[in-house]
Amino acid sequence: MKLTNMTLPTETKFGTFQIESMDATYFRFDEKDGDFVLDPDFFIVAERDANKRQHPMSKDMYDNLQRELLNQFSSENNCD
């Protein structure tokens, strides 16, 4: 699984990323205590109808994505 199109969180906005080959799906994350933490409740799908944009996230999906998110940043830090 490759994370793409990543934007870092700011004081007023969540960070976001996508998964390669899932062009219309976005995941949100924030920074807490120096770590990046995936929003555990849902992910967003690009959809005209606002009532259909949010989808629940399973525990397995959350765990896998959280691990990838942390790996992404630990890999970048090890390249310095």
Side-chain angles (χ1 to χ4, degrees), residues 24-36:
T25 305
Y26 296 84
F27 299 89
R28 300 187 331 179
F29 68 101
D30 209 354
E31 186 172 3
K32 293 183 183 172
D33 301 325
D35 284 325
F36 292 112

Side-chain angles (χ1 to χ4, degrees), residues 22-66:
M22 293 180 71
D23 296 340
T25 305
Y26 296 84
F27 299 89
R28 300 187 331 179
F29 68 101
D30 209 354
E31 186 172 3
K32 293 183 183 172
D33 301 325
D35 284 325
F36 292 112
V37 179
L38 185 64
D39 183 337
D41 296 322
F42 60 87
F43 57 95
I44 307 294
V45 175
E47 164 70 48
R48 283 187 161 192
D49 183 344
N51 295 318
K52 296 180 180 178
R53 290 182 188 156
Q54 295 181 6
H55 295 268
M57 190 179 313
S58 72
K59 178 166 176 17
D60 284 342
M61 182 183 219
Y62 174 83
D63 290 344
N64 289 333
L65 288 171
Q66 179 63 48

